[in-house]
Amino acid sequence: MGQRKGNGTAVRQAVEYDLVELVRLRALLFENLGGHFFSPASADDGWLDALAVVLKEQLTADAVRILVVDGDGDGDGDGDSDGDGGRGLAACGIATIEQRLPGPHLRNGRIGHVIGVVTDPSYRRRGHSRSIMRGLLDWFGEREVARVDLYASAEGEPLYRELGFTNHPDPALYWRP
C-alpha cells in the first residue's frame, strides 16, 4: 500500500523502522484506556518487549495490516522541527483477519478485528484516525471480510458509528485463566 490521503492525511503501511513508535503509541492507548482491565496493577513493562517482538513478526503477515501517519517533526502542527514536542508517528491503527467457520451469518468465515487506533495527543483532531480507519476498511473489503469487530473507547465511538459500526448482537464476555 502506498500513501493514502484523506483530509490531507498521508497514511502508509508501517515498516520495521516504525517499531519503537508503534510500541510507544500502543502503550499510550492502554494508558488512556486505564482501569484494571487494560492496566492491571500486577502488570510490569515486560509486555512492551513482547509487543515489539510480535509487531516485528506481524509487519509483513498477510492477515495483519498496520497503518501509520507520520508526525510533522515536532507535534505542534506547524511543519517545522523546532524541538517543541517532536514525535516520529502521529497515529497508528492495527487490524487483523481471523478465519472462522462459515455460517449463514458469516458467509466466508472471515472476521476483521480493529485491534487499536491511537493518535498521539499532540496530533488529535486532525482526521488521522478517520484516515487510518478508511484505509483499514478498504483493506478488509479487498479481502472480502464478512464482518469487522472493534472495541471503542467513549472518545472514539462517534467516529466508528459515523463509519457504519453498530452495536454487536452478541454480549461481549471474557475469561482469563
Side-chain angles (χ1 to χ4, degrees):
M1 172 181 193
Q3 289 195 345
R4 170 191 166 93
K5 287 223 176 210
N7 300 336
T9 298
V11 176
R12 64 175 175 83
Q13 192 165 345
V15 295
E16 190 170 338
Y17 178 81
D18 296 317
L19 281 173
V20 170
E21 281 293 287
L22 289 169
V23 169
R24 178 185 71 82
L25 287 172
R26 189 87 176 139
L28 182 63
L29 173 71
F30 291 114
E31 286 174 20
N32 289 339
L33 291 174
H36 180 71
F37 180 81
F38 291 106
S39 299
S42 62
D44 61 24
D45 286 344
W47 73 272
L48 294 169
D49 294 330
L51 173 63
V53 168
V54 172
L55 282 172
K56 185 176 180 179
E57 293 170 354
Q58 298 297 316
L59 279 172
T60 57
D62 290 337
V64 177
R65 179 59 49 113
I66 304 172
L67 298 181
V68 298
V69 173
D70 291 307
D72 59 16
D74 65 1
D76 65 5
D78 62 10
D80 65 16
S81 295
D82 55 12
D84 55 353
R87 296 280 196 297
L89 293 178
C92 72
I94 303 171
T96 63
I97 297 174
E98 177 183 353
Q99 181 64 58
R100 293 191 182 173
L101 297 173
H105 65 296
L106 202 58
R107 67 188 180 281
N108 61 14
R110 282 194 286 276
I111 296 179
H113 299 276
V114 176
I115 304 300
V117 176
V118 61
T119 302
D120 184 284
S122 61
Y123 290 99
R124 290 190 178 149
R125 312 299 309 161
R126 300 185 196 183
H128 297 329
S129 292
R130 178 182 311 282
S131 294
I132 286 172
M133 280 300 300
R134 286 185 175 144
L136 294 175
L137 293 174
D138 287 348
W139 179 71
F140 287 132
E142 292 163 5
R143 279 146 187 81
E144 299 180 349
V145 167
R147 185 182 83 219
V148 176
D149 293 341
L150 62 74
Y151 293 99
S153 66
E155 187 176 73
E157 184 178 359
L159 168 64
Y160 301 130
R161 289 195 182 279
E162 186 178 310
L163 291 171
F165 285 84
T166 61
N167 292 339
H168 199 288
D170 298 326
L173 306 172
Y174 74 97
W175 176 76
R176 288 188 185 180

